[in-house]
Amino acid sequence: MNKLTQTDAWISLEHHAPLVKRQHMRDMFKTDPLRAEKYSLHAAGLFLDYSKNRVSADVLDDLYALANERLLPAKIKAMFSGEKINTSEGRAVLHTALRNFSGKPVMFDGKDVMPEVMETLQKVKAFTQAIHNKTHRGYTGKAIKKVVAIGIGGSFLGPKIVTQALKPCKVAALEVVFVANVDGCHIADVLAQCSAHDTLFVMSSKSFSTQETLQNALSAKAWFLAQGAGKKDIAKHFVAVSSNVAKAVEFGMAESNIFPMADWVGGRYSLWSAIGLPISLALGYDHFEALLKGAHEMDCHFQEAPLAQNMPVIMAMLGIWYRNFMGAQSHALLPYYHYLRGFPAYVQQLDMESNGKATTLKGKAVDHGTGPIIWGGEGTNAQHSFFQLIHQSNMPIPCDFLFPVKVPYLDQAQQQTHHDMLASNCFGQTQALMQGKTFEQCYKELANTGLSEKEMQTLAAHKTMPGNNPSNTLIFDELNPASLGALIALYEHKVFVQGCIWDLNSFDQWGVELGKDLGNKVLDMIQGRMNIDGADASTQALIKRFKQAK
Ligand SMILES: O=P(O)(O)OC[C@H]1O[C@](O)(CO)[C@@H](O)[C@@H]1O
C-alpha cells in the first residue's frame, strides 16, 4: 500500500483544497438548489444533514477514493470478523459482537463468541431483575435503593452518559450514581448520602488494577464495614465487572458476584458489555437491550451501505478533509438536548484516546495530522460562551449539532415553546455559521445611526461574520435507547474509519501508561517507600513542598 500522503486521492485532494478555500458555502447553496437534499441521509433512526460542509462533489469523490485506496471495506470486514487488528496488544476488537442480534456466529480464534456474550447478558438481566423485584436485598433485608458505580475511563463514562441521556427511562425506585476520580472528596460526598442497608456497589474495571477504582472500592468497603455490616455481608452489597476474575477474587469479591468481560473489548468501547450493568440497573434490562439493538442497526448500516451513502464513513471522511486539507485542529460537538450534555466528553475520550497518536501500525512516524481535539458543550448555553470564537476567529472549527425532534415532556405547559426555541437556536446557529454576514450588510445597517464614516467602517468590520464555518446536523425523532445506541455506534465507527485512513491503531492507549507509572513512583516517594533523589529537581521540590504542608 502506498504511503497515505502519496496516494492519488490524497494528491488530488491537495489540489482541491486551495480552490475550495476560496469558495463560500453561501454560493454553493445558491448555485445548487438541491444541495440539502443531495447531502443528507437516514440511517438507523438518525438523519444527517451534511450539506453545510465546504465540499464539492469532486472533493467527496476523492475522499471516497481515498477510503478505497486505504482498503477501508476490507478493514471493516477485518474488525467485524474478529481479526487481531489491535496489533500492539495482539487483540481482536469485537465490541460489535456484544450487540450482535443477527443470530449469526462471530468467530474468534476458531470459536463462536456469541454463546458467551448471551450468557453474560442473561446474567446482567437476571441480576437487574433481582434488584428491581427486590429478591436481591441488602444484609438487613432492605431493598436496594441506591447503586454506586465505581470505575474510570471507559469503565465509567459510557454508563454515566447513557443513564444521564436516558433519564426519562429511569427506574424510579433506584438511584444510580457514579464515582471515578481518586480525589477523595467525590467518594466522601457520595457515601455521605448512602445507607449501608440499601446501597449496592458495582466496581467496574477491565484490568482490575486501576489505581482510582481500587482505592475508591477500598474506601467504599471500609465505609460499609464501619457502618456495622460484617465481612459476610459484603457479598450482598459488592459486585464487580472485570476481565481479570482472579484479581477481583483476590480483592475480596465473591466469584459469583463477578460479571465477566472479554479481553477483546476495549475500555472505551465497553459500555455494551457487562460494564453496562449500571445502565441496566438504572433503566431496566429491556432498555439496555434496546440500546444494544440500536447500535446493532448502525453496525449493519456501516457494513452494508456503499461508502458514499454510509453515515460513519461520510462523517469520518469530512473530518479527514478538514483536519488534513483545510487546517482544522479541533472538532466541536454541540448537543441541543440537556440530557445529552455529557456526549461531548464521551466522544472526547472515544476519539482522543483512539486516534490521539502519531505512529503508524508499522511503527513509523506519520507525516500528516491525526485525531483532532474534541470539545463542545450543550446548546444553547454554549452560544453564550464559546460560540463567539467559532463565529469570528480565524480558526476553522467543524461542528456537529445534535437535536431530538421530540422530547418526552412536551405535554407540560410551555414545553412546546421551549422546544421550538431550542430547535430555532440549533438550526439558526448552523445557518449563521454557514452564511455569516458580509461587511457590506453590516455597513448598510449602520446608515442613519449618526456615526462618522470612519466609525461606521470600524464598527462594520467588528460586526462582520465571515461565515463558511462547516457543520453537520444530526437529528433523531427522539432520544430513546435505540437512537442513542445508534448514535454512539456512529461515532465509534467514525473514529475507526479515521484510524484506518491515518494508519493508526485506534484500540491501544500506550500514551497513558508513563503518567500512571511515574504517578505510582511519586506516591512511593510521598509515602516514604522510595528515595526522592531519582526525581528531577522540579518534581523533588513539589514533593517536598507537599510533604511539608500536609
Ligand atoms: O477498566 P480499567 O482497566 O480499570 O481501565 C480504566 C481505563 O483506563 C484506561 O486504560 C486508560 O486510562 C482506559 O482505556 C480504560 O477505560
Side-chain angles (χ1 to χ4, degrees), residues 152-155 205-208 210 267-268 349 353 509 512 516:
I152 198 163
S155 297
S205 174
K206 183 183 170 186
S207 61
F208 223 87
T210 303
R268 55 194 172 275
Q349 182 201 23
E353 203 174 56
Q509 57 284 320
V512 301
K516 284 186 197 170

Side-chain angles (χ1 to χ4, degrees), residues 66-369:
L66 182 66
N68 274 317
E69 279 192 66
R70 303 307 285 171
L71 309 179
L72 180 63
K75 288 176 181 173
I76 295 174
K77 232 180 233 162
M79 177 172 74
F80 278 87
S81 58
E83 278 183 37
K84 291 186 180 167
I85 60 169
N86 177 355
T87 47
S88 71
E89 296 179 323
R91 288 181 179 148
V93 173
L94 273 177
H95 50 279
T96 52
L98 298 165
R99 55 213 194 198
N100 167 30
F101 287 90
S102 68
K104 292 184 193 144
V106 177
M107 304 306 286
F108 170 63
D109 269 352
K111 198 178 141 213
D112 180 12
V113 301
M114 289 316 298
E116 179 189 321
V117 168
M118 291 304 163
E119 197 185 312
T120 303
L121 266 186
Q122 283 313 310
K123 187 165 175 167
V124 168
K125 182 178 183 176
F127 187 70
T128 303
Q129 288 173 343
I131 295 288
H132 290 176
N133 65 25
K134 304 182 175 55
T135 51
H136 180 120
R137 289 174 176 259
Y139 74 104
T140 55
K142 285 198 172 166
I144 298 295
K145 281 203 193 126
K146 192 162 201 162
V147 175
V148 178
I150 298 174
I152 198 163
S155 297
F156 146 74
L157 214 40
K160 181 176 171 171
I161 71 106
V162 169
T163 49
Q164 190 177 66
L166 297 176
K167 188 180 172 206
C169 303
K170 231 176 115 310
V171 174
L174 204 62
E175 190 193 353
V176 179
V177 293
F178 293 86
V179 178
N181 201 332
V182 78
D183 183 340
C185 50
H186 193 185
I187 186 89
D189 277 359
V190 167
L191 292 175
Q193 302 297 318
C194 292
S195 147
H197 306 271
D198 56 17
T199 300
L200 175 80
F201 294 91
V202 179
M203 187 186 167
S204 300
S205 174
K206 183 183 170 186
S207 61
F208 223 87
S209 61
T210 303
Q211 184 197 58
E212 292 92 330
T213 305
L214 293 180
Q215 184 54 44
N216 279 326
L218 279 175
S219 297
K221 202 158 91 174
W223 169 87
F224 180 72
L225 294 174
Q227 305 301 301
K231 279 197 174 152
K232 62 172 183 0
D233 303 321
I234 288 177
K236 283 199 155 74
H237 290 265
F238 285 78
V239 300
V241 183
S242 185
S243 66
N244 197 339
V245 175
K247 266 201 156 181
V249 171
E250 199 184 299
F251 183 84
M253 291 289 175
E255 197 159 353
S256 55
N257 282 359
I258 300 169
F259 294 76
M261 62 190 285
D263 186 49
W264 41 253
V265 190
R268 55 194 172 275
Y269 298 86
S270 66
L271 74 89
W272 323 101
S273 70
I275 290 286
L277 178 63
I279 302 175
S280 182
L281 290 169
L283 311 176
Y285 175 80
D286 289 349
H287 284 135
F288 182 53
E289 193 175 298
L291 179 88
L292 303 186
K293 286 184 172 157
H296 176 63
E297 218 186 309
M298 183 55 77
D299 293 342
C300 295
H301 166 76
F302 181 50
Q303 288 177 95
E304 290 157 16
L307 298 186
Q309 288 145 41
N310 192 312
M311 201 179 273
V313 175
I314 292 169
M315 286 177 61
M317 297 315 294
L318 287 169
I320 298 274
W321 171 241
Y322 293 121
R323 181 74 186 96
N324 296 124
F325 301 95
M326 300 292 278
Q329 303 227 346
S330 80
H331 188 106
L333 262 80
L334 306 160
Y336 276 65
Y337 185 44
H338 180 62
Y339 294 152
L340 201 53
R341 63 192 178 279
F343 199 60
Y346 176 77
V347 177
Q348 186 174 68
Q349 182 201 23
L350 171 69
D351 200 321
M352 292 171 75
E353 203 174 56
S354 296
N355 287 341
K357 296 160 192 172
T359 306
T360 67
L361 284 171
K362 291 214 168 110
K364 302 269 179 272
V366 297
D367 60 349
H368 49 76

Side-chain angles (χ1 to χ4, degrees), residues 498-511:
Q498 293 189 332
C500 290
I501 304 297
W502 287 322
D503 197 21
L504 303 173
N505 180 354
S506 302
F507 302 101
D508 60 10
Q509 57 284 320
W510 296 107

Side-chain angles (χ1 to χ4, degrees), residues 449-509:
T449 53
L451 294 174
S452 71
E453 172 60 20
K454 194 168 168 225
E455 285 167 337
M456 277 171 69
Q457 295 269 354
T458 307
L459 192 52
H462 283 292
K463 290 183 159 210
T464 300
M465 311 269 285
N468 226 4
N469 289 301
S471 65
N472 292 315
T473 308
L474 264 167
I475 296 181
F476 20 92
D477 252 7
E478 61 173 5
L479 195 72
N480 54 34
S483 59
L484 181 61
L487 184 68
I488 296 172
L490 167 66
Y491 278 89
E492 284 180 349
H493 295 323
K494 175 198 161 180
V495 167
F496 168 70
V497 171
Q498 293 189 332
C500 290
I501 304 297
W502 287 322
D503 197 21
L504 303 173
N505 180 354
S506 302
F507 302 101
D508 60 10
Q509 57 284 320

